Amino acid sequence: MIRNLSINRIYHSLRILGIETSCDDTAAAVVDSQRTILSQACRNQLKYHQPWGGIVPSIAKNHHYENLVPVVAEVMKDIEWNTIDAIATSVKPGLVISLWQGINFTRQLLQKYTHLSFIPIHHMEAHALTVRLTHDVPFPYMVLLASGGHCILGIVEDVDKFYRLGETKDIAPGEAFDKSAREMKLHEHPLVQDMAGGAAMGYLAREGDEKRYQLITSSYSAKMKDCSFSFGGMLSQIRRVIGKESIYYGSSSTDEQKLKDFAACIQASIVRHIETRVHRAILFCDTIQKSQWKQRLVLAGGVASNLYLRQRINDLCSHYGIELVCPPVEFCTDNGVMIAWNGIERYRRNLNVFERMPEIVVPEGRSPLGSDISEQVCAYDLSVPFDWKTILGKKHVLL
Ligand code: KG4
Ligand code: ZN
């Protein structure tokens, strides 16, 4: 039954428990409507999956099962259950077997604490809205959602109103980072072995020379005048170079500097591709006279914690007088706070708030966020200056 909110309920300070199990992090948090994070906890499973070279669903499921009780106990340690209004839980998109764990555990909690409402959460919507907890960002705004499983460029018009300008046609940038890091055996490198692939790459790239290797922009991304992404061709090329030049940790022909240079090259290629799409999105907003869409650009999702990406996009935004807003790094990667906050945003508007958990709540592995307006972008055939920094005066190649 959908909750019928009384006026009192809307105006008193809300407290929501958020539960996140969409991939390999078991996370929970309690957040209130004054934007206070009352508690948070997260157990990462990285080390259990690393030997297998990727997330193993059955391992993820077992760890979520073991971790949910202690993680929720930790966040509720100093909080009375009767001061909580609702539980918000990720139900899509993600690893279905993992999402089930969060949903089943939420059901048990709701059976015990019957005063609580239930709010199903779209994991990518939560990434897109987190910035409104940490910064004063009114609607609408442009957002880049870049993570291990997604890459979406869109407009957030409201809590439940999202337009997709473009998304990845194959793999996400996080996956390209993770698979490249794996090929380079960075999980054996003592300096970065405890980091996620993208974070390891970013760390090594800080002291690397991105010009030492040349990765050719794929013909797809050069030809398509849209805001969609493609990292599959780039990953194949990265793999070829790694194989040919033996660029991996432990290789007799690869010293530390070579690793750093190649990491910088991979990072620059991924970031340049994203930058072109963001640039086209800015031009698109101008073309259709939706300047309010591009007053602010938000970077979200795990890959948005990449400092080089932030720097490049910040330069682009400064050029166009756009404010770039990034949630703190700890809220870019998966966490419970973003789920709880999404719960607050939905509860306040009474959007899909259930007084009792429906009998059937089924997780969804895939679930597009909002409406697709990418064809409108294509229709304008907008060219982006290849090196936009030379826009003024000099010649430039159009992509
Ligand atoms: O949002 P997230 O925590 O989980 C998903 O929903 O996928 O994103 C995880 C992804 C991983 O692919 C990880 O390698 C990448 O974010 N990542 C980074 C950085 N930190 C995490 N990628 C680039 N630079 C980073 N600093
Ligand atoms: Zn995520």
Side-chain angles (χ1 to χ4, degrees):
M1 188 206 296
I2 297 278
R3 179 170 277 257
N4 186 4
L5 293 183
S6 69
I7 296 294
N8 282 347
R9 206 65 170 162
I10 293 171
Y11 289 108
H12 98 268
S13 174
L14 294 167
R15 275 185 180 187
I16 291 186
L17 165 64
I19 296 180
E20 158 62 26
T21 61
S22 70
C23 191
D24 61 337
D25 289 310
T26 317
V30 177
V31 174
D32 74 13
S33 49
Q34 315 292 324
R35 305 201 300 195
T36 309
I37 299 166
L38 299 159
S39 60
Q40 58 174 317
C42 180
R43 293 208 183 168
N44 183 275
Q45 308 175 5
L46 191 66
K47 65 172 185 261
Y48 303 107
H49 297 278
Q50 229 158 25
W52 306 98
I55 308 290
V56 182
S58 56
I59 295 181
K61 176 200 149 187
N62 291 342
H63 282 280
H64 285 309
Y65 184 78
E66 280 170 22
N67 292 339
L68 272 163
V69 171
V71 164
V72 171
E74 192 178 331
V75 298
M76 292 304 295
K77 193 164 42 106
D78 301 317
I79 299 172
E80 298 287 340
W81 278 97
N82 62 11
T83 65
I84 301 283
D85 295 277
I87 303 182
T89 305
S90 291
V91 301
K92 62 186 178 183
L95 266 182
V96 168
I97 197 169
S98 293
L99 290 165
W100 267 125
Q101 300 309 306
I103 292 171
N104 290 340
F105 188 61
T106 302
R107 191 176 292 284
Q108 287 172 24
L109 291 173
L110 292 172
Q111 276 161 359
K112 188 164 176 199
Y113 305 106
T114 51
H115 69 287
L116 295 175
S117 302
F118 168 64
I119 310 168
I121 297 293
H122 190 296
H123 179 86
M124 298 313 290
E125 178 181 296
H127 272 304
L129 296 175
T130 310
V131 72
R132 286 168 45 83
L133 165 73
T134 57
H135 296 75
D136 292 318
V137 177
F139 296 118
Y141 53 90
M142 194 187 292
V143 71
L144 170 75
L145 298 169
S147 68
H150 296 86
C151 194
I152 309 171
L153 192 51
I155 306 295
V156 189
E157 272 264 310
D158 208 333
V159 175
D160 64 339
K161 204 163 176 201
F162 189 91
Y163 299 115
R164 300 195 307 281
L165 302 172
E167 58 204 305
T168 184
K169 297 285 181 196
D170 41 48
I171 58 169
E175 188 174 340
F177 270 128
D178 292 343
K179 292 200 164 145
S180 306
R182 185 80 197 169
E183 297 275 325
M184 289 168 71
K185 300 197 178 174
L186 298 188
H187 55 287
E188 292 175 14
H189 191 302
L191 275 182
V192 294
Q193 63 187 3
D194 297 330
M195 298 180 191
M201 201 71 79
Y203 185 87
L204 292 179
R206 293 178 315 164
E207 291 170 1
D209 172 11
E210 66 180 64
K211 296 199 176 68
R212 178 161 169 190
Y213 298 91
Q214 187 74 42
L215 291 173
I216 301 150
T217 314
S218 77
S219 56
Y220 173 83
S221 41
K223 269 191 248 143
M224 297 304 288
K225 296 222 168 66
D226 59 12
C227 287
S228 60
F229 304 85
S230 165
F231 299 96
M234 199 185 289
L235 178 61
S236 308
Q237 212 194 343
I238 290 167
R239 283 184 158 139
R240 268 198 301 277
V241 177
I242 292 174
K244 203 163 145 242
E245 308 251 345
S246 300
I247 311 173
Y248 57 87
Y249 178 75
S251 154
S252 56
S253 61
T254 296
D255 60 12
E256 188 70 2
Q257 194 54 47
K258 195 169 170 184
L259 273 185
K260 288 176 176 172
D261 291 345
F262 197 57
C265 171
I266 293 171
Q267 176 179 260
S269 300
I270 291 176
V271 169
R272 264 200 302 271
H273 179 50
I274 294 175
E275 190 182 42
T276 325
R277 271 50 198 162
V278 174
H279 198 160
R280 183 166 288 119
I282 294 170
L283 300 181
F284 172 70
C285 293
D286 281 339
T287 308
I288 63 162
Q289 297 180 352
K290 284 275 195 186
S291 56
Q292 71 276 23
W293 278 2
K294 65 165 193 58
Q295 279 178 27
R296 285 176 200 85
L297 169 66
V298 169
L299 301 186
V303 175
S305 38
N306 187 281
L307 298 179
Y308 181 76
L309 174 73
R310 288 181 175 207
Q311 184 55 53
R312 294 282 301 215
I313 301 291
N314 189 46
D315 290 351
L316 180 65
C317 286
S318 314
H319 180 81
Y320 284 98
I322 297 168
E323 186 191 350
L324 177 69
V325 196
C326 305
V329 166
E330 70 265 33
F331 299 135
C332 282
T333 46
D334 290 350
N335 61 83
V337 170
M338 70 185 208
I339 306 301
W341 175 251
N342 198 164
I344 298 270
E345 294 261 37
R346 283 194 158 260
Y347 198 113
R348 287 198 294 215
R349 306 284 187 93
N350 201 13
L351 295 166
N352 242 10
V353 181
F354 293 87
E355 204 158 329
R356 255 167 237 96
M357 193 164 179
E359 295 261 320
I360 300 168
V361 177
V362 180
E364 291 171 47
R366 288 170 171 271
S367 172
L369 182 62
S371 343
D372 180 4
I373 58 164
S374 60
E375 285 195 358
Q376 284 186 42
V377 180
C378 292
Y380 287 99
D381 201 30
L382 297 163
S383 292
V384 171
F386 177 54
D387 184 356
W388 59 269
K389 286 182 179 170
T390 60
I391 293 169
L392 301 169
K394 295 185 192 163
K395 272 194 176 172
H396 50 264
V397 185
L398 291 180
L399 280 187

